[in-house]
Amino acid sequence: MTPTYILILIGGYFLLLLLISYYTGKNDSNIDFFKAGKKSPWYLVAFGMVGASLSGVTFISVPGWVEASQFSYLQVVFGYFLGYIITAYVLLPIYYKQNVTSIYEYLDRRFGFVSYKVGAISFFISRVLGASFRLFLVAIVLQQFVFDELGVNFEITVIISVLLIWIYTFRGGIKTIVWTDTLQTLFMLLSVGLSIYFILDKMDWTFGEFLASEEFSKYSKTIFIDDFLAKNHLVKSFLGGMFITICMTGLDQDMMQKNLTCNTLKDAQKNMISFSVVLVATTFVFMLLGVLLFIYAEKYDIALPVMDGKPKSDLLFPEIALNSDLGIAVAVTFLLGLIAAAYSSADSALTSLTTSFCVDFLGLEKKPVSEQKKIRKITHIGMSALLIIVVIAFKNILDTNVIDGLLKVASFTYGPLLGLFAFGIFTKHQVKDKYVWLVTALVVTIIYVLSKIPADSLGGYIFGYELLPLNGLLTFFGLWLIRKDLDQK
């Protein structure tokens, strides 16, 4: 498929998004931008959140990770499911009861100004890095298979990608996102389903024959309990996955902002539970696709694509979809799925960053009404520029599989949120608010040092995703040390 045809396809797709943006952003009001008027149907939010949660990282990176990790990632996904249940029945009731715009307003009401800002800053760093990971992934695919051939450098590719997102979100915000995410999820699921179908057809397999094949068995080990010291041990992966979900969904303004557009708490909970079931099943399908890709690559002698002199497993799916002889249908559905997956996450991230910065840092709701819309729009431009800078920086520093890198970042940045919210929910104590920043900075430093200790120095133990709950636990302990007695004000 030529770069020209790819560009035409991308252009047509974004025209569709702009059409949706036109109808959902007519009011151009802050209440629609931040909360969608609290009128979003729960089932629409649930379906759209599947695409936002999976994103381009799952679409590309999970299939590309199968060779190195087999099905061990499913251990993390099982943990995700429990985390979604906890989010639905512990955190959502708090947010609805307090009627917050930014979920970090809870920390202000519970502890004070410094705790509130620490929570907001933790989210801000987390979401900037997370959104940049996702945008980086789609940008390197577009660069490798489209823009390199056209002589366009990587920096321009990134600017174009972010500019397109800004264009269709700057008026409608989260109201637009709820609808575009639904469309994007549909394209993404259609793409992976058709890709599996066409690869099986090319290899003359039925789905049952594929699952029963000797080739599949080489990749299908799921439960790892032999070596507790290993990073992928079941207990470490499951608990890590649970806490990742609690933090990256339940304590994340991006994901919770969609839930808070539902009219009632009951609707939001139905959304969360139904979404979690679909997400787990969908992730499993992506891993099946990953196995098929590596089997297909081995059979037809397709090497891993090289970028900047290094093999990139993240690029195997696009290499096979666009450059093998599977046909135009696979290429078209892959591109639609890739664009949909990447932008369904990045557009909501840009909106949530704008929301958090306006509410948590600029105090937008305290500004004169006549200035609020102008402030929101300027902030939206600023957040777009920030994403461009970080994505470009990633090209020079990222040397790991993107999904693995994303989860590692979460271990550092979401830990303070986990500790703060847990202390607020499960104790009645106040804290000495002015010292909260010191506690969180010290704990993140400790976690970073632990992550850098060589395995040989720990008897072969390798830290994995359990760093996130450990981060939260140490933060909780630090807050306990600076607590006030219950009779103190």
Side-chain angles (χ1 to χ4, degrees):
M1 194 172 187
T2 67
T4 301
Y5 287 139
I6 294 175
L7 288 177
I8 292 172
L9 185 65
I10 294 173
Y13 178 80
F14 274 97
L15 284 176
L16 182 58
L17 294 185
L18 287 173
L19 184 63
I20 294 173
S21 175
Y22 172 77
Y23 284 105
T24 55
K26 284 184 176 180
N27 291 335
D28 194 21
S29 66
N30 281 0
I31 188 66
D32 278 349
F33 189 95
F34 296 136
K35 293 186 175 182
K38 292 190 76 69
K39 295 179 180 178
S40 299
W42 69 267
Y43 47 86
L44 202 68
V45 176
F47 190 67
M49 280 181 65
V50 172
S53 297
L54 293 174
S55 76
V57 172
T58 303
F59 191 79
I60 297 294
S61 198
V62 167
W65 202 23
V66 166
E67 184 181 46
S69 66
Q70 298 194 25
F71 273 34
S72 63
Y73 183 54
L74 276 182
Q75 299 175 134
V76 181
V77 175
F78 296 148
Y80 288 171
F81 184 74
L82 181 56
Y84 289 125
I85 294 175
I86 293 171
T87 297
Y89 292 101
V90 176
L91 293 172
L92 277 175
I94 294 173
Y95 302 147
Y96 269 83
K97 182 179 179 180
Q98 299 207 6
N99 192 31
V100 295
T101 298
S102 165
I103 62 175
Y104 311 112
E105 293 175 87
Y106 164 79
L107 297 176
D108 189 22
R109 299 168 188 176
R110 180 66 177 82
F111 298 126
F113 179 81
V114 174
S115 299
Y116 172 36
K117 296 304 177 186
V118 167
I121 290 171
S122 296
F123 160 74
F124 191 80
I125 295 173
S126 301
R127 185 45 60 185
V128 167
L129 293 177
S132 298
F133 267 118
R134 293 170 171 91
L135 279 170
F136 170 76
L137 189 58
V138 71
I140 63 172
V141 172
L142 292 175
Q143 187 67 36
Q144 180 89 354
F145 296 97
V146 181
F147 291 108
D148 271 346
E149 192 168 332
L150 297 175
V152 177
N153 62 34
F154 180 77
E155 289 74 16
I156 299 300
T157 301
V158 174
I159 292 171
I160 292 172
S161 298
V162 176
L163 179 62
L164 288 171
I165 296 171
W166 178 84
I167 289 172
Y168 74 83
T169 60
F170 83 102
R171 290 175 62 87
I174 197 66
K175 186 175 181 180
T176 298
I177 298 306
V178 167
W179 287 93
T180 56
D181 274 4
T182 301
L183 176 69
Q184 291 165 333
T185 298
L186 177 63
F187 277 128
M188 185 185 67
L189 298 181
L190 180 65
S191 174
V192 71
L194 288 175
S195 296
I196 289 175
Y197 172 80
F198 283 111
I199 294 175
L200 286 174
D201 183 64
K202 177 70 174 179
M203 299 186 70
D204 198 26
W205 270 347
T206 66
F207 187 68
E209 289 171 339
F210 160 58
L211 294 180
S213 69
E214 183 179 343
E215 292 90 339
F216 176 76
S217 65
K218 296 177 182 178
Y219 297 92
S220 61
K221 185 178 180 180
T222 302
I223 304 300
F224 291 78
I225 56 175
D226 299 332
D227 183 7
F228 184 76
L229 300 179
K231 178 181 176 181
N232 62 355
H233 190 275
L234 172 63
V235 173
K236 296 159 71 174
S237 297
F238 181 85
L239 291 178
M242 180 184 73
F243 283 104
I244 285 169
T245 289
I246 292 170
C247 294
M248 295 183 72
T249 298
L251 304 181
D252 185 280
Q253 175 65 24
D254 184 0
M255 300 303 293
M256 286 297 98
Q257 190 168 357
K258 297 183 181 72
N259 282 272
L260 296 177
T261 66
C262 295
N263 189 42
T264 66
L265 171 61
K266 186 177 180 181
D267 280 350
Q269 289 172 327
K270 286 192 292 186
N271 152 52
M272 181 61 66
I273 298 303
S274 57
F275 145 73
S276 64
V277 173
V278 175
L279 184 69
V280 170
T282 304
T283 304
F284 176 67
V285 173
F286 271 98
M287 299 191 76
L288 292 177
L289 172 61
V291 175
L292 267 177
L293 291 172
F294 280 101
I295 294 173
Y296 184 87
E298 182 177 359
K299 181 175 181 178
Y300 291 97
D301 198 26
I302 299 173
L304 286 180
V306 175
M307 187 172 189
D308 296 331
K310 300 177 182 178
K312 286 277 188 180
S313 62
D314 288 339
L315 296 177
L316 180 60
F317 188 12
E319 174 69 24
I320 290 175
L322 299 176
N323 291 337
S324 70
D325 59 351
L326 289 176
I328 191 68
V330 173
V332 169
T333 56
F334 165 78
L335 284 169
L336 287 174
L338 171 67
I339 299 164
Y343 289 111
S344 66
S345 174
D347 55 15
S348 60
L350 180 56
T351 301
S352 66
L353 285 170
T354 301
T355 300
S356 178
F357 200 84
C358 285
V359 175
D360 298 327
F361 296 101
L362 300 180
L364 183 70
E365 295 170 330
K366 299 176 183 177
K367 303 287 186 183
V369 176
S370 59
E371 297 179 13
Q372 289 183 6
K373 187 183 294 187
K374 180 181 178 182
I375 293 172
R376 185 200 86 206
K377 291 187 174 183
I378 293 174
T379 302
H380 201 51
I381 294 172
M383 294 302 103
S384 301
L386 178 61
L387 288 180
I388 289 171
I389 292 169
V390 178
V391 173
I392 291 173
F394 275 173
K395 186 175 186 292
N396 300 311
I397 63 177
L398 194 63
D399 60 355
T400 184
N401 173 279
V402 174
I403 183 69
D404 194 37
L406 181 61
L407 297 181
K408 284 179 180 176
V409 166
S411 299
F412 300 108
T413 57
Y414 281 96
L417 287 171
L418 179 61
L420 280 164
F421 275 86
F423 196 86
I425 293 169
F426 297 114
T427 78
K428 295 182 179 180
H429 287 284
Q430 291 292 325
V431 296
K432 296 173 183 176
D433 187 51
K434 63 182 179 180
Y435 297 121
V436 168
W437 72 270
L438 187 60
V439 168
T440 55
L442 180 61
V443 170
V444 169
T445 301
I446 292 171
I447 295 298
Y448 178 77
V449 171
L450 286 175
S451 73
K452 293 298 182 182
I453 298 177
D456 292 342
S457 302
L458 298 172
Y461 186 90
I462 301 175
F463 280 107
Y465 308 130
E466 75 276 17
L467 282 175
L468 175 56
L470 179 60
N471 192 335
L473 180 64
L474 291 177
T475 302
F476 188 101
F477 178 70
L479 295 173
W480 182 264
L481 294 178
I482 62 169
R483 73 190 185 281
K484 296 178 181 179
D485 293 332
L486 290 176
D487 59 350
Q488 283 185 279
K489 294 185 178 179

